[in-house]
Amino acid sequence: MPETVKGPVADLGATLMHEHVFGLSPEILWNWPDLPEGWDEERRAREAAAKLDALKGAGVDTIVDLTVVGLGRYVPAVQRVAELTSVNIVAATGLYTYDALPPYFANRGPGSLFGGPDRLAEFFVRDLTEGIGRTGVKAAMLKCASDHLGLTKGCERVFRAVAEAHLATGAPITTHSHSASRGGLDQQKLLASLGVDLSRVVIGHAGDSTDVAYLEELVANGSYLGMDRFGIDSISPFERRVAVVAEMCERGHAGRMVLGHDSYCFNDRFDADVVRRRHPDYHLLHISRDVLPALRGRGVTEDQIHQMLVGNPRRIFA
């Protein structure tokens, strides 16, 4: 059974595969706690739970919280949210960087200042099999990232550790990719060379692309496509995102797509008022309220929608 923050569940139901509960900046919070966007854990947990309750009312049962080290993961606060809502929250492990590793890892491991073994995979496996920190919450998905810089030395080290943890545990992998440079293909090539079955991989942010040939190549290699930034219109506007998903469904690929927003219930790294002005649809209800009706209007069937929201996540976590 898939692991969630509150423990294993029999069925995840309708699932958004790329979301975040909290994105935090610990050193800022520790040293300047009185900033207006500061951190009151109980207040923020209740706000997040209310947003998730509204999502449940819109027909979504589960979110996959892909907040890992590098994005401000703090699982005790997510546990509190899980206590307050009936929405399942799936936790992830991994490390988010486009290049440099946090000094703890940059100064340890192969090729580092002090050398020694690479402990990244050890940490990831512990999160998956024993629990994150002292919370007892087991992660259920691995995450790694590369962006416009490509597979830098730091990124490659994380990908290698993620592959090692995947092979040790069987946990699925999701990525952050840069669609404009067709970066998902390089990710697939590296992961495959490390022994990863690409059918256990979601290439995240594939929905930023309007290059259907690129998307079909990712699918042909076996991976799922993360159509998971609905609401971030500055990268690709609503109509294009909807059109690409509809076209991929028409081409028979509904069984290889998952949906999401890449949204946060609370994120201290961006000014919330500015985000609301620039991206008014960047919230957890956008897919339910706007995207699904638009897909139906383009001929996407209920079976295909069910496949993207229910069937594919179920298979990924099987």
Side-chain angles (χ1 to χ4, degrees):
M1 293 194 294
E3 290 284 350
T4 73
V5 171
K6 290 197 286 192
V9 297
D11 190 9
L12 296 175
T15 302
L16 299 180
M17 284 290 292
H18 196 130
E19 307 297 345
H20 302 272
V21 180
F22 298 127
L24 305 176
S25 306
E27 288 190 286
I28 304 299
L29 299 176
W30 293 340
N31 292 288
W32 294 290
D34 297 325
L35 291 171
E37 59 275 14
W39 178 248
D40 177 323
E41 184 169 324
E42 183 64 18
R43 172 191 164 201
R44 297 301 184 188
R46 291 188 176 278
E47 290 173 349
K51 292 177 180 180
L52 292 175
D53 286 346
L55 183 63
K56 181 76 170 182
V60 174
D61 306 295
T62 301
I63 65 163
V64 180
D65 181 358
L66 292 179
T67 313
V68 295
V69 172
L71 289 172
R73 183 179 71 173
Y74 184 53
V75 173
V78 181
Q79 280 184 293
R80 178 60 180 143
V81 176
E83 291 172 357
L84 296 168
T85 182
S86 60
V87 172
N88 302 310
I89 304 171
V90 175
T93 187
L95 195 149
Y96 185 93
T97 182
Y98 299 162
D99 189 9
L101 297 176
Y104 182 94
F105 295 109
N107 293 327
R108 294 172 168 85
S112 70
L113 181 62
F114 295 101
D118 190 341
R119 299 188 65 195
L120 276 170
E122 173 194 334
F123 280 48
F124 300 160
V125 170
R126 186 187 306 168
D127 284 358
L128 291 160
T129 60
E130 299 176 23
I132 299 167
R134 297 185 179 92
T135 65
V137 172
K138 293 180 181 179
M141 193 157 209
L142 287 149
K143 183 180 181 182
C144 44
S146 64
D147 203 78
H148 62 290
L149 299 173
L151 283 165
T152 61
K153 184 178 178 181
C155 288
E156 183 172 338
R157 190 170 152 193
V158 176
F159 271 72
R160 289 182 177 277
V162 161
E164 184 178 340
H166 160 77
L167 293 173
T169 66
I173 297 169
T174 192
T175 74
H176 165 109
S177 71
H178 187 248
S179 282
S181 60
R182 297 165 62 93
L185 294 172
D186 289 335
Q187 293 180 343
Q188 287 182 318
K189 183 177 179 181
L190 175 57
L191 289 170
S193 75
L194 297 170
V196 173
D197 175 357
L198 294 182
S199 71
R200 305 289 293 137
V201 176
V202 180
I203 301 298
H205 308 329
D208 291 350
S209 178
T210 57
D211 182 350
V212 173
Y214 164 63
L215 298 179
E216 289 206 302
E217 193 170 349
L218 294 175
V219 169
N221 290 337
S223 297
Y224 291 89
L225 306 179
M227 316 305 274
D228 51 29
R229 274 182 162 174
F230 280 102
I232 308 181
D233 291 345
S234 57
I235 297 175
S236 183
F238 173 80
E239 287 296 337
R240 287 184 190 170
R241 290 186 185 276
V242 168
V244 168
V245 173
E247 182 170 354
M248 291 296 285
C249 285
E250 188 176 344
R251 291 175 180 233
H253 301 308
R256 284 289 159 188
M257 290 187 287
V258 294
L259 305 180
H261 306 91
D262 194 16
S263 69
Y264 288 80
C265 294
F266 173 75
N267 181 0
D268 67 13
R269 290 167 301 159
F270 300 105
D271 185 293
D273 291 335
V274 173
V275 171
R276 274 191 291 270
R277 286 199 305 272
R278 292 184 181 178
H279 303 290
D281 294 324
Y282 181 53
H283 56 78
L284 283 170
L285 296 174
H286 180 45
I287 286 175
S288 299
R289 289 179 176 174
D290 307 311
V291 175
L292 298 184
L295 288 173
R296 292 180 182 109
R298 285 181 172 268
V300 176
T301 68
E302 294 303 320
D303 283 347
Q304 289 171 324
I305 289 171
H306 187 270
Q307 202 164 16
M308 291 185 285
L309 283 175
V310 179
N312 296 342
R314 182 183 291 151
R315 266 206 320 276
I316 288 167
F317 287 108

